[in-house]
Amino acid sequence: MKKQDIIKAILGNRYGKSPVLPSATAFASTNIALCKYWGKRDAELNLPITPSLSISLEQKGTTTEIQVNGLNRITVNGQPIENRSSFGKRLFEYVSLFDPNEPLSFHIQSNIPIGAGLASSASGFASLALALNQLYNWRLTLKELSILARIGSGSACRSLWQGFVEWEAGSNPDGMDSFAKPLPQIWPDLCIGVLMHSHAEKKLSSREAMNRSVKTSPFYSSWPSKVAHDLIQIKQAIQSKDLPLLGQIAESNALAMHALVQSSWPPFSYSLPQTLEAMQKIWSLRQEGLEVYFTQDAGPNLKLIFMEQTLTPLLQVFPHMEVIRPFVGK
Ligand code: 2P0
């Protein structure tokens, strides 16, 4: 199945029509997986081997403005980006799947570092799908937009909602059953803390790293059953607001994902010395009775999982931690 076949199937007779607005702007939050997407059964359509579950980071994310001005320009946070850069190619390749003839310009504002393992492609492609939907007045459902965002970047399918979101792996070859859904539970005093160890762009894309894990890690065969177990436990933890259970499973899931990367060939590690130091600190804090856990994505930065009541002592240890309250205002 080709990407364009899926897009044509979703858009129906709207495919190939011109934009109806001169410009459109949309925001999407980034999301952090508590149970990771790591491995594809179809690389063209970003179809995952397993389901995954994330939490959206509220105001952290990407705003994409699309303009119909015949200029084919891209800016990111006000800086022009080369159309032939890997970022530019990926963006134009995606957009030309919908309308190969319309020269559009893109102004992308992101309050998260691009390509540093903070899921910038998730909020980027989700905001792009939302903005395209407005520009062309497709009136697609969030489920359909989740499929379109997934074609841009797998984890983007989870960025269309706030709160906890589950991405069902699906089993159809066309991926029409592989999209995300929000979970109804809210957990007002749950906090996520971001420990930035590096803003630098990652040396190995998650796309390449996950493919390498599937092909070469001797442990990959155990990953699907680990995910199945972890998903049940995480949903139970969310249901009963059980932070130790949520934290333990999310941390174990992240460590297992990184064990896959480190046991692949050629070998690689996303961790820096500061990452390992922070992990050791978190383990010591837990031994001292502080309920704090971490997760780590395809980068050296850790995201801490804890409750509001733990914030003050945690800030003493990690004074530069940025705090996100995913459910405040919900
Ligand atoms: C996740 N990550 O579940 C996992 C955990 C990173 C670590 O999804 O190839 O950028 O575009 O589908 O979505 C990052 O991978 O990969 C990712 P593509 P994506 O959030």
Side-chain angles (χ1 to χ4, degrees):
M1 271 281 177
K2 288 274 183 285
K3 290 174 189 173
Q4 210 152 26
D5 300 330
I6 306 302
I7 289 166
K8 283 180 183 167
I10 289 177
L11 293 183
N13 63 9
R14 291 163 287 190
Y15 182 81
K17 300 257 165 77
S18 300
V20 299
L21 296 173
S23 69
T25 304
F27 171 82
S29 293
T30 190
N31 73 78
I32 299 299
L34 300 168
C35 184
K36 310 291 187 194
Y37 150 51
W38 202 250
K40 304 183 195 201
R41 65 174 200 280
D42 182 322
E44 160 94 6
L45 298 177
N46 294 330
L47 294 177
I49 291 173
T50 70
S52 57
L53 194 150
S54 61
I55 185 162
S56 290
L57 296 191
E58 239 242 329
Q59 78 282 8
K60 298 294 268 184
T62 305
T63 302
T64 297
E65 181 191 3
I66 311 176
Q67 292 174 345
V68 184
N69 59 6
L71 292 175
N72 274 329
R73 287 207 183 127
I74 311 173
T75 63
V76 174
N77 294 338
Q79 299 295 318
I81 299 283
E82 266 287 320
N83 292 2
R84 285 162 304 175
S85 65
S86 60
F87 184 92
K89 274 195 208 143
R90 196 168 163 196
L91 176 64
F92 283 118
E93 207 176 280
Y94 179 72
V95 176
S96 68
L97 291 168
F98 298 92
D99 188 348
N101 304 317
E102 188 70 54
L104 301 168
S105 287
F106 301 88
H107 302 292
I108 297 160
Q109 292 287 337
S110 189
N111 58 15
I112 48 174
I114 306 261
L118 274 179
S120 55
S121 68
S123 55
F125 280 98
S127 64
L128 189 54
L130 285 164
L132 286 168
N133 185 47
Q134 285 178 34
L135 192 78
Y136 289 88
N137 194 29
W138 290 328
R139 297 167 188 264
L140 295 174
T141 62
L142 286 175
K143 174 182 146 181
E144 290 167 326
L145 288 170
S146 178
I147 294 175
L148 295 186
R150 188 204 75 224
I151 288 172
S153 183
S155 53
C157 76
R158 300 185 308 234
S159 268
L160 293 164
W161 294 271
Q162 293 297 331
F164 297 111
V165 179
E166 184 178 7
W167 173 9
E168 302 198 357
S171 56
N172 292 348
D174 65 5
M176 288 300 193
D177 56 352
S178 183
F179 51 85
K181 286 183 187 162
L183 301 187
Q185 291 86 0
I186 58 168
W187 193 338
D189 44 0
L190 187 72
C191 297
I192 303 289
V194 181
L195 290 186
M196 285 303 290
H197 296 122
S198 168
H199 283 75
E201 197 158 330
K202 52 190 147 193
K203 292 199 177 83
L204 182 66
S205 70
S206 30
R207 190 161 281 196
E208 169 56 22
M210 69 173 86
N211 290 341
R212 211 183 270 187
S213 296
V214 175
K215 282 197 198 124
T216 68
S217 169
F219 308 119
Y220 193 83
S221 58
S222 65
W223 176 249
S225 59
K226 161 112 184 112
V227 169
H229 166 270
D230 289 356
L231 262 184
I232 293 170
Q233 300 274 300
I234 287 181
K235 285 195 212 167
Q236 193 184 317
I238 292 171
Q239 185 69 39
S240 53
K241 297 197 173 51
D242 182 341
L243 184 83
L245 182 62
L246 181 81
Q248 184 192 320
I249 301 294
E251 189 172 306
S252 154
N253 187 274
L255 289 167
M257 182 204 105
H258 285 272
L260 294 177
V261 179
Q262 289 175 29
S263 56
S264 298
W265 199 265
F268 188 75
S269 174
Y270 282 109
S271 295
L272 291 174
Q274 305 91 291
T275 317
L276 300 175
E277 225 173 88
M279 284 182 189
Q280 305 277 356
K281 264 193 204 159
I282 291 160
W283 293 329
S284 307
L285 289 172
R286 277 219 298 276
Q287 279 190 334
E288 292 162 19
L290 215 61
E291 287 290 351
V292 55
Y293 301 84
F294 67 81
T295 185
Q296 181 186 2
D297 290 297
N301 307 309
L302 295 185
K303 291 92 183 187
L304 309 197
I305 307 164
F306 57 94
M307 306 286 276
E308 187 74 48
Q309 74 230 36
T310 316
L311 178 59
T312 306
L314 256 189
L315 280 174
Q316 282 167 7
V317 184
F318 300 113
H320 303 296
M321 176 176 76
E322 183 177 2
V323 183
I324 293 151
R325 294 173 177 83
F327 296 97
V328 163
K330 302 286 164 318

